[in-house]
Amino acid sequence: MKPKTRTRAVPTGRPRMEDVARLAGVSLVTVSRVLNTPDAVAAPTRQAVMEAVRRIGYVPNLTAGALAGSRSRIIAAVVPTIANSIFADTVQGLSDRLEGEGYTILLGQTGYDAGRERSLVTAMLGRRPDALMLVGAPLSAATGRLLAAAKIPIVQTWEMVRRPIDHVVGFSNAAAGRVVAEHFVARGYRHVRFVGGADARSKARQAGFDAALRAAGMTPLPAVTVPSPGTLGHGRDALCRVLDEGGPTDALFFSTDVLAIGALLECQRRGIAVPGRLAIAGLGDQDLAREMVPPLTTVRISGLEIGRRAADLLLDAIAGRRGGAQRIDLGVQLIERATT
Amino acid sequence: MKPKTRTRAVPTGRPRMEDVARLAGVSLVTVSRVLNTPDAVAAPTRQAVMEAVRRIGYVPNLTAGALAGSRSRIIAAVVPTIANSIFADTVQGLSDRLEGEGYTILLGQTGYDAGRERSLVTAMLGRRPDALMLVGAPLSAATGRLLAAAKIPIVQTWEMVRRPIDHVVGFSNAAAGRVVAEHFVARGYRHVRFVGGADARSKARQAGFDAALRAAGMTPLPAVTVPSPGTLGHGRDALCRVLDEGGPTDALFFSTDVLAIGALLECQRRGIAVPGRLAIAGLGDQDLAREMVPPLTTVRISGLEIGRRAADLLLDAIAGRRGGAQRIDLGVQLIERATT
DNA sequence: CTGAAAGCGCTAACAA
DNA sequence: TTGTTAGCGCTTTCAG
């Protein structure tokens, strides 16, 4: 037994392209072509190869393909959190568009933590994705540098980031705050207040809200800060705090629908008339906002659409279509319903 | 200029391990060791390498690592849908546990479609994940074969699959239906009905529900079928259908909290007394179920816990700990609240 | 239209 | 503790 070149690296044992080639009686390259550029191969050859693929249950090793080729066909998605959140819609939109194009989604959650974001992004970049989507601005400069150095198409979402790394698909969070403020003013509310998290988007909504109030000659009451991500419980707690303080508050703008609905439900429990005693507005226009009794006034934002547009942008960028960095502002729209 | 071995494959242009090695004055393997098994390298060497890594902003190519080594450090997660769904919690739980261990999550959605599931699983398996989590049983035998042939740890969740591929972390959907049925019987409801989707888990809940009713000498009214994934709108529509038919229905078991809440809100809109005129129960015990007014009777299922346990199981299996296939039944618990 | 050769960037065995 | 060597499974030139 001649010990021909002892194998060092560990083989996987799974069928390889070479096995398919042998069975089909063609060379390995031909198999590769059938799989990647079928039109470049004669029909009979193609069929023989496909048959062989089927027979041995060959599943191409995309890791090897990614290493050898230029593209990994992986898109990374970085969101603050996925559970009970509006970002799930964005991931869905992104994924729906991309799966059909042969891309796979790498998902990561930062939990609004800068350190976690950094290690997450490092790990994802290590997979050499063809593009990356993230929500908002990086939580730290280090992450920003990492992203910029990656030299791949990047799309930031959910806000019109000031100094974008590359593309942006979002809306003005300040404008969202403004339209609610203007609505409150028009409705005659005078003691209004913002409730939201400490994250950048929430702060931007608050800033826009406060600025519009001042422009109308009003002084916003101090904001109520809640943890991110917002939950129904946080919305309820915020309402309790406002009520317990016993101030003159007559309208509340919550940074997200979830918070607003948590508060609205607490009002129902306590028998507080909405909007009679207290007006409530949210942001997101989730299904539940429309279905609530009474239906919630909110700012319409389509997380799904953000995801889809981000996907389209990334696809174009990967293909080398379009010129420079795009900045897509999806705009905001106030949906006036019964809680204000 | 001697044209030494013209490069064929396309280099990425990003710094490689070799670049770090040169700068640190060590060999390539040493860099690899510093990154993977730092304890196997002398402290001064390690520091020199780390410094070099920092200087040139080296991000290890995990694709190359996966190809050369045995592990990809990728875990695939296959769920029906992620937006507005209980599965988002499971993905979160899985991801929370796994990220800390250096794994990255590949996410895919089947949309309850067998064909899409098949191509999705093929694509994911092509990335050679170290393990895979999926919700329930494969939608087709073809997917099942693909999964079994992958020879990696697999965990099926959200149901105690009859013939599992490998591990299972779930609960008995039939038992969930049963506890609700028994509760309805005990409460004295006599004209009860199931509302749910056409997916396997929903059907199992219905079967358990119907069986328990028959065991109590009752005949369940025909079930109302809604599309999967369930939405608030579907719940509302189902309620409308039941009401329009004008039958004697006095209690409704919805396959998910979302459906139940959609119906509950419609009851509020129509001024239908719950549970006076109609009792409503859901499944999932999402935050909203507890916060609703009145709070919803439901079956507690922790999607987060399912994800966490699945992650733990997979981690053990990858490490070679534990013996055969595990079957973890998290059980079901009826949470009696005010809607029944 | 098909094939041969040359890597992609890294890890694993082996030796020093 | 560190270095050398031989691949992992595929795509990409370049020839034919």
Side-chain angles (χ1 to χ4, degrees):
Chain A
M1 296 190 291
K2 58 177 196 300
K4 52 172 299 192
T5 340
R6 249 173 313 173
T7 298
R8 308 300 181 89
V10 184
T12 56
R14 299 210 53 167
R16 296 168 307 154
M17 209 170 249
E18 194 190 334
D19 301 322
V20 176
R22 197 178 309 116
L23 184 59
V26 297
S27 79
L28 182 152
V29 237
T30 300
V31 177
S32 175
R33 286 202 186 96
V34 169
L35 264 20
N36 298 308
T37 53
D39 294 340
V41 178
T45 314
R46 188 167 57 224
Q47 276 153 29
V49 169
M50 289 310 284
E51 177 56 23
V53 165
R54 207 165 295 123
R55 295 266 305 259
I56 62 178
Y58 172 68
V59 177
N61 185 331
L62 303 180
T63 296
L67 183 59
S70 27
R71 321 164 318 289
S72 64
R73 293 205 157 274
I74 283 180
I75 307 280
V78 180
V79 297
T81 167
I82 188 96
N84 317 310
S85 92
I86 33 183
F87 306 125
D89 283 352
T90 298
V91 172
Q92 166 123 35
L94 190 83
S95 157
D96 285 351
R97 274 288 209 275
L98 260 21
E99 264 171 29
E101 301 290 323
Y103 286 89
T104 310
I105 304 286
L106 266 187
L107 177 72
Q109 308 178 68
T110 67
Y112 291 98
D113 180 81
R116 190 168 160 192
E117 181 189 68
R118 192 187 190 297
S119 61
L120 179 68
V121 166
T122 306
M124 297 190 127
L125 256 20
R127 307 286 171 188
R128 298 296 187 265
D130 289 343
L132 182 147
M133 182 218 84
L134 82 158
V135 172
L139 266 17
S140 72
T143 304
R145 276 191 300 271
L146 232 29
L147 255 13
K151 297 274 179 19
I152 54 172
I154 288 179
V155 58
Q156 293 175 270
T157 57
W158 279 89
E159 56 180 281
M160 302 309 295
V161 193
R162 282 130 262 272
R163 310 178 77 251
I165 301 169
D166 193 6
H167 306 285
V168 180
V169 176
F171 59 94
S172 163
N173 286 274
R178 187 172 62 238
V179 296
V180 174
E182 287 167 353
H183 172 67
F184 279 174
V185 170
R187 279 275 202 248
Y189 297 108
R190 286 294 168 267
H191 305 285
V192 307
R193 211 154 162 184
F194 175 86
V195 180
D199 59 288
R201 287 169 293 289
S202 195
K203 286 298 177 198
R205 287 164 204 163
Q206 179 184 350
F209 183 72
D210 288 356
L213 289 176
R214 290 211 189 80
M218 286 168 55
T219 307
L221 295 173
V224 179
T225 300
V226 296
S228 297
T231 64
L232 293 169
H234 294 147
R236 185 193 57 219
D237 293 349
L239 183 85
C240 293
R241 256 191 279 168
V242 170
L243 260 23
D244 291 352
E245 285 179 13
T249 307
D250 58 11
L252 247 22
F253 169 37
F254 290 84
S255 184
T256 69
D257 280 354
V258 169
L259 291 172
I261 289 165
L264 181 54
L265 290 169
E266 180 63 16
C267 285
Q268 290 185 12
R269 254 175 249 121
R270 296 192 178 204
I272 292 171
V274 176
R277 158 75 181 80
L278 191 67
I280 290 180
L283 181 146
D285 194 25
Q286 295 185 252
D287 279 2
L288 190 54
R290 191 185 50 233
E291 298 286 335
M292 282 301 292
V293 184
L296 181 72
T297 290
T298 187
V299 179
R300 175 167 296 165
I301 303 294
S302 172
L304 205 61
E305 183 65 9
I306 290 177
R308 287 197 194 117
R309 297 292 290 269
D312 291 342
L313 217 57
L314 258 19
L315 250 14
D316 280 349
I318 291 171
R321 292 189 290 270
R322 305 212 186 183
Q326 304 282 309
R327 256 181 90 80
I328 299 181
D329 187 338
L330 263 19
V332 296
Q333 185 193 357
L334 183 77
I335 308 294
E336 298 188 25
R337 288 201 277 241
T339 54
T340 51
Chain B
M1 296 190 288
K2 60 176 196 299
K4 52 173 297 192
T5 341
R6 248 173 313 174
T7 298
R8 307 301 180 87
V10 184
T12 57
R14 298 209 55 165
R16 295 168 306 153
M17 209 171 249
E18 193 189 336
D19 302 321
V20 176
R22 197 178 310 114
L23 184 59
V26 297
S27 81
L28 183 152
V29 243
T30 300
V31 178
S32 174
R33 286 200 188 98
V34 169
L35 264 20
N36 299 307
T37 54
D39 294 339
V41 178
T45 314
R46 188 167 57 223
Q47 276 154 27
V49 170
M50 290 309 284
E51 178 55 25
V53 164
R54 207 165 296 124
R55 296 269 303 259
I56 63 178
Y58 172 67
V59 177
N61 185 330
L62 302 180
T63 296
L67 183 59
S70 28
R71 321 163 319 288
S72 63
R73 294 206 157 272
I74 284 180
I75 306 279
V78 180
V79 297
T81 167
I82 189 95
N84 317 308
S85 93
I86 33 184
F87 306 124
D89 284 352
T90 298
V91 171
Q92 166 122 36
L94 189 84
S95 157
D96 285 350
R97 275 287 209 275
L98 259 21
E99 262 171 31
E101 300 290 322
Y103 287 89
T104 310
I105 304 285
L106 265 186
L107 177 72
Q109 308 178 69
T110 67
Y112 292 97
D113 179 82
R116 189 169 160 192
E117 182 189 68
R118 192 186 190 298
S119 60
L120 179 68
V121 167
T122 305
M124 296 190 129
L125 256 20
R127 307 285 172 188
R128 300 294 186 264
D130 289 343
L132 181 147
M133 182 219 82
L134 82 159
V135 171
L139 265 18
S140 71
T143 305
R145 277 191 298 274
L146 232 30
L147 255 14
K151 298 273 181 19
I152 54 172
I154 288 179
V155 58
Q156 294 174 270
T157 56
W158 280 88
E159 57 181 282
M160 301 309 295
V161 194
R162 282 130 262 272
R163 310 179 74 253
I165 301 169
D166 194 5
H167 306 284
V168 180
V169 175
F171 60 94
S172 163
N173 286 275
R178 188 172 62 240
V179 297
V180 174
E182 287 166 353
H183 172 67
F184 278 175
V185 170
R187 280 276 201 246
Y189 297 109
R190 286 296 168 263
H191 305 285
V192 307
R193 212 156 162 180
F194 176 85
V195 180
D199 60 288
R201 286 169 294 287
S202 194
K203 286 298 177 198
R205 286 163 204 163
Q206 179 183 349
F209 183 71
D210 288 356
L213 289 176
R214 290 211 189 79
M218 286 168 54
T219 307
L221 294 173
V224 179
T225 300
V226 296
S228 297
T231 64
L232 293 169
H234 294 146
R236 184 193 56 219
D237 294 348
L239 183 85
C240 293
R241 258 191 279 168
V242 169
L243 260 23
D244 292 350
E245 286 178 11
T249 308
D250 58 10
L252 248 22
F253 169 36
F254 291 84
S255 184
T256 69
D257 281 354
V258 169
L259 291 172
I261 289 164
L264 181 54
L265 290 168
E266 180 63 16
C267 285
Q268 289 184 13
R269 253 175 250 121
R270 295 191 179 206
I272 293 170
V274 176
R277 159 76 182 80
L278 191 67
I280 290 180
L283 181 146
D285 194 24
Q286 295 185 249
D287 278 1
L288 191 54
R290 190 185 50 235
E291 297 285 336
M292 282 301 293
V293 184
L296 181 72
T297 290
T298 187
V299 179
R300 175 167 297 166
I301 304 296
S302 171
L304 206 61
E305 183 65 9
I306 290 178
R308 287 196 194 118
R309 298 292 290 268
D312 292 342
L313 217 56
L314 257 18
L315 250 15
D316 281 349
I318 290 170
R321 293 189 290 270
R322 306 215 186 182
Q326 304 283 309
R327 256 180 89 80
I328 299 180
D329 187 339
L330 263 19
V332 297
Q333 185 193 358
L334 183 76
I335 308 293
E336 298 188 25
R337 288 201 275 242
T339 55
T340 52

